């Protein structure tokens, strides 16, 4: 039995081990303050957005607020990107709005649940790895189009409104620009919201408020099954909408996660985030919400403006949202929309990559990169769908890259002085865009009887390249000449050996 003197040494080791099991911020009051205040600011900004997206989807505003609550709380636990905010979004609302109009709310809720299932499956299949193939120019275009879109969506709040809206907007912007120069103890957006709301209420200034957007919920959401017949017809009706929602939600979430990775210089688990988005949408559907995905604007408020870095801010954003609606509904309803517009305008300016459009940067950037960036922005602004811009920009970048690499494949001919052999040396990358051009660069009619194709400076990437080499051999064979291919590196040799002679040869 150990002596009493030896027992104290065990406790510190155990205590230290337990401390290491928890997050670092559990014992840091400064982090707690930052995370709590960030969650409060995000919650205030979520309310009008969730109500607006509910209107887009054609449902009661409470369903958008319920979705924002359940998405944020759930993803804070199961998500793979700390401090990222997920809630009801405009992109998802646009996808499922037609289903609600044509078939009703029950089908919409069922589609949200099915979309969550699709996202889990896609996440487990590794769809998150595709984010690696998004070029930087597309990412810059994505960020810039987002910033412009956030700014443009605020403009309707500034048209046909009382004149007092504009001084309030200016005051909100001034507070958020200059207050951080004095102190950063409290987030400037929170100070702006509290101060200007107090002013408008005390002075009786009549301006549009959050309450004008719609009634806030008065009770917590209750779980239940969607009111639809559980039949094959229902499944075939909701499946296309659910799959579209799953793809749009995943793309926006993964792109937002990548953006937050860059801003915070910390990694995230994209596979876990994909699965987490699915789980969050399933939970949201069972609680009657309209579903959602990562929100870039609110995430920027949380990460870039408020400085949040942990899951606590995400959880509190959802929790505060419900507390504000249930316990402080009348107070929240009095918040002027002009103040929240000021917050979102600051977010748009902070999000935009101003360096990307400076003359110095544009002069140095390749033309193709500029084209991809601009095309991504134009596509997003034209469709109001970030996913469309990312896909179109990425495909354009692939085409530009393929054309650029295709022109780097070079062919030189060296003729033997004896006139019996011609050696063709090929250098560069051989793939579908470059291999086809090489077929027409051989002198089939006048070359000697023996041709050597030296590929020691090249790499064969695909079946198109192997087929092109087969065509060259076939054209020479028709003229009674022999071809020898030499210099293949190991991967190219394996591919050529496996496919040569097995592909249809065109003439």
């Amino acid at each position: 039995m150990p002596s009493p003197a030896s027992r104290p040494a065990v406790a510190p080791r155990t205590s230290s081990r337990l401390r290491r099991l928890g997050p670092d911020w559990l014992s840091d009051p400064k982090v707690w303050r930052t995370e709590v205040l960030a969650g409060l600011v995000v919650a205030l900004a979520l309310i009008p957005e969730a109500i607006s997206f509910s209107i887009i989807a054609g449902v009661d505003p409470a369903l958008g607020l319920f979705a924002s609550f359940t998405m944020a709380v759930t993803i804070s636990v199961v998500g793979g990107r700390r401090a990222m905010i997920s809630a009801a979004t405009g992109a998802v609302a646009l996808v499922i709005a037609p289903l609600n109009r044509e078939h009703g709310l029950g089908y919409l809720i069922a589609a949200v649940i099915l979309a969550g299932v699709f996202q889990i499956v896609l996440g487990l299949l590794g769809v998150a790895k595709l984010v690696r193939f998004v070029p930087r120019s597309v990412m810059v275009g994505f960020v810039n189009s987002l910033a412009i879109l956030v700014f443009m969506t605020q403009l309707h709040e500034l048209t046909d409104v009382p004149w007092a809206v504009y001084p309030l907007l200016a005051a909100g912007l001034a507070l958020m620009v200059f207050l951080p120069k004095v102190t950063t103890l409290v987030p400037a957006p929170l100070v702006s919201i509290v101060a200007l709301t107090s002013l408008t209420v005390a002075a009786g200034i009549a301006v549009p408020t959050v309450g004008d957007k719609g009634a806030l919920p008065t009770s917590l959401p209750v779980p239940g099954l969607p009111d639809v017949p559980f039949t094959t017809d229902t499944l075939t009706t909701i499946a296309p909408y659910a799959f579209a929602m799953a793809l749009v939600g995943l793309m926006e979430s993964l792109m937002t996660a990548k953006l937050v990775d860059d801003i915070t210089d910390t990694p995230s688990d994209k596979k876990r985030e994909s699965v987490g988005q699915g789980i969050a949408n399933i939970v949201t559907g069972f609680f009657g919400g309209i579903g959602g995905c990562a929100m870039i604007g609110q995430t920027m408020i949380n990460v870039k403006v408020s400085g949040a870095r942990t899951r606590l801010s995400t959880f509190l954003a959802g929790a505060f949202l419900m507390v504000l609606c249930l316990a402080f509904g009348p107070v929240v309803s009095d918040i002027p929309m002009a103040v929240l517009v000021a917050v979102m305008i600051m977010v748009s300016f902070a999000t935009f990559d101003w360096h990307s459009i400076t003359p110095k940067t544009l002069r140095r950037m390749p033309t193709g990169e500029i084209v991809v960036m601009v095309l991504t922005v134009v596509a997003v602004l034209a469709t109001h769908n970030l996913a469309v811009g990312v896909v179109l920009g990425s495909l354009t970048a692939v085409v530009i890259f393929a054309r650029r690499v295709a022109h780097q494949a070079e062919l030189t001919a060296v003729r033997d002085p004896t006139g019996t052999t011609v050696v063709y040396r090929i250098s560069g990358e051989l793939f579908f865009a470059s291999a086809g051009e090489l077929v027409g660069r051989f002198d089939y009619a006048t070359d000697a009887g023996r041709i050597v194709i030296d590929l020691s400076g090249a790499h064969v990437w695909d079946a198109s390249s192997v087929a092109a080499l087969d065509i060259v051999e076939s054209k020479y064979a028709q003229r009674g000449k022999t071809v020898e291919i030499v210099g293949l590196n190991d991967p190219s040799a394996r591919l050529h050996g496996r496919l040569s002679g097995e592909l249809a040869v065109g003439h």
Side-chain angles (χ1 to χ4, degrees):
M1 182 175 180
S3 64
S6 65
R7 289 174 186 167
V10 177
R13 288 198 298 269
T14 304
S15 176
S16 176
R17 184 170 67 252
L18 289 174
R19 282 197 299 270
R20 287 196 299 271
L21 291 176
D24 295 337
W25 51 264
L26 280 176
S27 58
D28 191 336
K30 291 182 179 179
V31 174
W32 269 86
R33 183 186 67 230
T34 299
E35 301 296 311
V36 170
L37 293 177
L40 181 57
V41 172
V42 171
L44 290 168
L46 276 174
I47 293 173
E49 295 281 309
I51 294 174
S52 298
F53 299 147
S54 300
I55 294 171
I56 291 174
V59 301
D60 188 278
L63 300 187
L65 292 164
F66 289 158
S68 295
F69 163 60
T70 52
M71 286 292 297
V73 169
T74 306
I75 206 69
S76 69
V77 178
V78 300
R81 173 64 260 179
R82 292 174 294 172
M84 190 166 74
I85 304 297
S86 290
T89 59
V92 167
L94 286 170
V95 170
I96 59 177
L99 179 63
N100 182 56
R101 285 196 302 268
E102 296 172 16
H103 299 280
L105 180 61
Y107 282 81
L108 183 153
I109 301 302
V112 170
I113 296 172
L114 182 58
V117 174
F118 282 145
Q119 288 178 327
I120 292 175
V121 173
L122 290 170
L124 294 175
L125 290 176
V127 71
K129 294 178 181 178
L130 297 177
V131 178
R132 295 180 303 171
F133 300 102
V134 176
R136 182 186 178 280
S137 53
V138 174
M139 191 67 188
V140 172
F142 170 80
V143 170
N144 289 346
S145 59
L146 161 72
I148 297 171
L149 209 55
V150 169
F151 180 81
M152 290 175 60
T153 56
Q154 307 307 310
L155 296 181
H156 74 278
E157 300 290 349
L158 302 175
T159 56
D160 299 324
V161 293
W163 68 269
V165 165
Y166 304 108
L168 281 174
L169 175 69
L173 292 172
L175 276 171
M176 284 182 282
V177 169
F178 295 109
L179 184 62
K181 301 180 186 299
V182 179
T183 179
T184 57
L185 289 177
V186 183
L190 181 59
V191 174
S192 178
I193 292 170
V194 172
L196 296 180
T197 301
S198 302
L199 174 64
T200 55
V201 172
I205 301 173
V207 291
T209 63
V210 170
D212 296 329
K213 288 288 184 182
L216 301 181
T218 56
S219 61
L220 288 170
V222 178
L225 294 175
D227 184 17
V228 294
F230 292 90
T231 63
T232 305
D233 288 341
T234 299
L235 181 62
T236 55
T237 299
I238 66 174
Y241 296 95
F243 192 66
M245 174 184 163
L247 290 179
V248 169
L250 278 184
M251 187 168 293
E252 293 208 23
S253 299
L254 294 173
M255 291 295 290
T256 304
K258 186 175 180 182
L259 177 60
V260 178
D261 291 351
D262 294 339
I263 292 173
T264 62
D265 197 26
T266 57
S268 61
D269 187 336
K270 304 298 190 303
K271 180 177 179 180
R272 177 176 173 180
E273 182 61 35
S274 301
V275 174
Q277 288 289 327
I279 295 172
N281 272 306
I282 291 173
V283 171
T284 297
F286 280 120
F287 276 92
I290 62 173
C293 61
M295 295 189 75
I296 305 179
Q298 273 65 23
T299 297
M300 291 301 100
I301 293 176
N302 196 47
V303 173
K304 203 163 186 178
V305 178
S306 302
R309 292 293 184 271
T310 76
R311 297 179 184 273
L312 180 61
S313 58
T314 306
F315 175 84
L316 290 178
F320 282 149
L321 173 64
M322 276 294 99
V323 171
L324 289 169
C325 291
L326 300 180
F328 302 99
V331 176
V332 173
S333 296
D334 287 334
I335 296 175
M337 285 301 301
V339 182
L340 295 177
V341 169
V343 173
M344 297 310 294
I345 288 176
M346 286 298 297
V347 168
S348 67
F349 273 83
T351 303
F352 196 91
D353 186 353
W354 297 99
H355 176 73
S356 67
I357 61 171
T358 61
K360 181 180 179 181
T361 301
L362 294 176
R363 281 195 302 269
R364 294 182 175 182
M365 190 180 297
T367 303
E369 303 275 325
I370 298 174
V371 170
V372 169
M373 180 179 70
V374 172
L375 183 62
T376 302
V377 172
V378 171
V380 171
L381 297 183
T383 63
H384 282 214
N385 190 325
L386 293 163
V388 171
V390 171
V391 171
L392 187 58
S394 297
L395 290 176
T396 304
V398 168
V399 171
I400 291 174
F401 174 77
R403 286 177 57 86
R404 184 184 303 154
V405 175
H407 291 304
Q408 294 179 358
E410 298 293 338
L411 181 145
T412 57
V414 179
R415 287 172 170 77
D416 189 331
T418 64
T420 60
T421 303
V422 179
V423 178
Y424 284 96
R425 291 192 176 90
I426 301 176
S427 61
E429 308 300 322
L430 292 185
F431 64 110
F432 63 89
S434 60
E437 294 182 359
L438 290 176
V439 173
R441 296 168 66 181
F442 290 85
D443 193 352
Y444 303 101
T446 61
D447 276 345
R450 180 173 179 267
I451 294 88
V452 177
I453 301 177
D454 183 0
L455 294 171
S456 56
H459 187 98
V460 178
W461 286 102
D462 58 9
S464 297
S465 305
V466 176
L469 293 172
D470 284 352
I471 291 173
V472 172
E473 290 189 77
S474 176
K475 286 182 177 292
Y476 276 116
Q478 290 173 4
R479 294 165 175 82
K481 302 174 183 180
T482 61
V483 175
E484 181 183 2
I485 297 175
V486 299
L488 288 166
N489 58 34
D490 289 342
S492 299
R494 286 194 296 270
L495 182 64
H496 185 267
R498 187 168 68 249
L499 298 180
S500 181
E502 301 295 329
L503 304 170
V505 179
H507 299 283

